[in-house]
Amino acid sequence: MVASEALSGTDPVLRTRGLQMRFGQGAGLVRALDGVDLEAAAGETLAVMGPSGSGKSTLLHLLGGMERPSSGEVWLAGRRIDGLGEKALARLRRRAIGFVFQAFHLMDELTAAENVELPALLAGRPPRAARRRAAELLEQVGLGDRAEHLPSALSGGERQRVAIARALSNEPLVVLADEPTGNLDSVATVDVLRLLDSLRAAGQTLVIVTHDARVAAIADRLISMRDGAFVEETRLTHGTGGLVGELTGLGG
């Protein structure tokens, strides 16, 4: 179980040190990540952008414990997680991390409500409590009237909103989103943007990998990547005047 009780108000929720991910060897060696240091504070929304192959999705997979780094450290809520066993990692993912994927990854045979309930049930929450939480979340994402629909009866934007509700099911410390608008048209993208921005405003810690500048614009901080490394940081201010970016070099 994540040691969230050890997390003080000044400690980062997520932290990496010297994170490296290598594939292949010799002349075929690929450095997908090359010494990445990252911190994400509680309640912060962090967007990561960069060209294809820059290491964005690899970084997200390592943050979520879906892959193990070649070297370096990953810390969540004051606990180092890169060396945990498979069972411990599975428990951590169920209880502390919410995932949102470009391709939704909903269970086709389950209704919207059942998809949202599933993580809570897997984490051991009583069925009645899981159903109640699912109903609340579907209302929150504007789909309370679609709870009994199968994914095949939902639009792409609706499916992604169900996926976001599912990611919130266990009240995770952090939500990791990989190209959450990548499969959506412009209208559905706006709906998902509004939802993600509402989560940011509510203090949910988010890390979002994206190619879409509109998605990045809702973040508190934007990291640009190239060749497996961070190259630039943009701090964004949210207010009535819109977003103001102040660029700060990161030594790349």
Side-chain angles (χ1 to χ4, degrees):
M1 186 171 181
V2 174
S4 55
E5 65 275 6
L7 188 68
S8 77
T10 58
D11 289 334
V13 172
L14 276 172
R15 177 164 61 92
T16 72
R17 287 292 179 266
L19 203 59
Q20 297 197 34
M21 191 66 172
R22 298 182 292 273
F23 300 101
Q25 55 186 341
L29 179 66
V30 175
R31 297 182 183 273
L33 288 181
D34 194 11
V36 167
D37 294 337
L38 168 74
E39 290 189 356
E44 183 177 29
T45 294
L46 177 63
V48 183
M49 296 188 76
S52 296
S54 61
K56 307 183 303 298
S57 292
T58 299
L59 173 63
L60 208 69
H61 293 165
L62 295 180
L63 293 177
M66 292 184 285
E67 296 183 36
R68 297 180 186 275
S70 301
S71 61
E73 302 174 1
V74 181
W75 293 75
L76 175 64
R79 181 183 185 184
R80 186 171 174 180
I81 69 170
D82 54 274
L84 293 178
E86 291 301 328
K87 289 184 178 179
L89 272 175
R91 287 195 299 269
L92 178 140
R93 288 192 295 263
R94 286 197 297 264
R95 297 175 180 177
I97 304 173
F99 295 96
V100 180
F101 302 98
Q102 179 177 345
F104 320 131
H105 291 328
L106 299 177
M107 302 288 287
D108 292 338
E109 67 276 17
L110 301 182
T111 65
E114 289 167 340
N115 268 285
V116 178
E117 289 172 25
L118 187 58
L121 294 173
L122 290 174
R125 183 172 293 195
R128 182 175 297 180
R131 284 194 296 272
R132 183 169 58 249
R133 174 73 173 157
E136 292 170 354
L137 287 168
L138 287 171
E139 287 289 345
Q140 180 180 334
V141 302
L143 293 174
D145 61 342
R146 310 285 277 171
E148 300 308 314
H149 286 67
L150 293 172
S152 59
L154 302 175
S155 70
E158 288 172 336
R159 278 178 278 171
Q160 192 61 295
R161 283 186 280 157
V162 171
I164 292 171
R166 179 185 59 189
L168 298 170
S169 180
N170 286 331
E171 300 177 274
L173 289 174
V174 61
V175 171
L176 305 177
D178 194 356
E179 300 287 0
T181 60
N183 278 343
L184 305 181
D185 61 27
S186 58
V187 174
T189 292
V190 170
D191 288 339
V192 170
L193 281 174
R194 287 173 177 158
L195 177 55
L196 291 173
D197 194 42
S198 73
L199 296 178
R200 178 200 62 78
Q204 173 67 58
T205 307
L206 297 164
V207 180
I208 307 172
V209 161
T210 183
H211 280 97
D212 192 333
R214 294 170 298 175
V215 177
I218 72 166
D220 300 305
R221 188 156 47 103
L222 167 63
I223 296 290
S224 297
M225 292 190 70
R226 184 171 61 243
D227 299 330
F230 291 170
V231 294
E232 194 170 54
E233 177 178 328
T234 308
R235 297 188 180 275
L236 301 173
T237 301
H238 300 268
T240 56
L243 299 170
V244 178
E246 183 174 321
L247 296 179
T248 304
L250 290 178

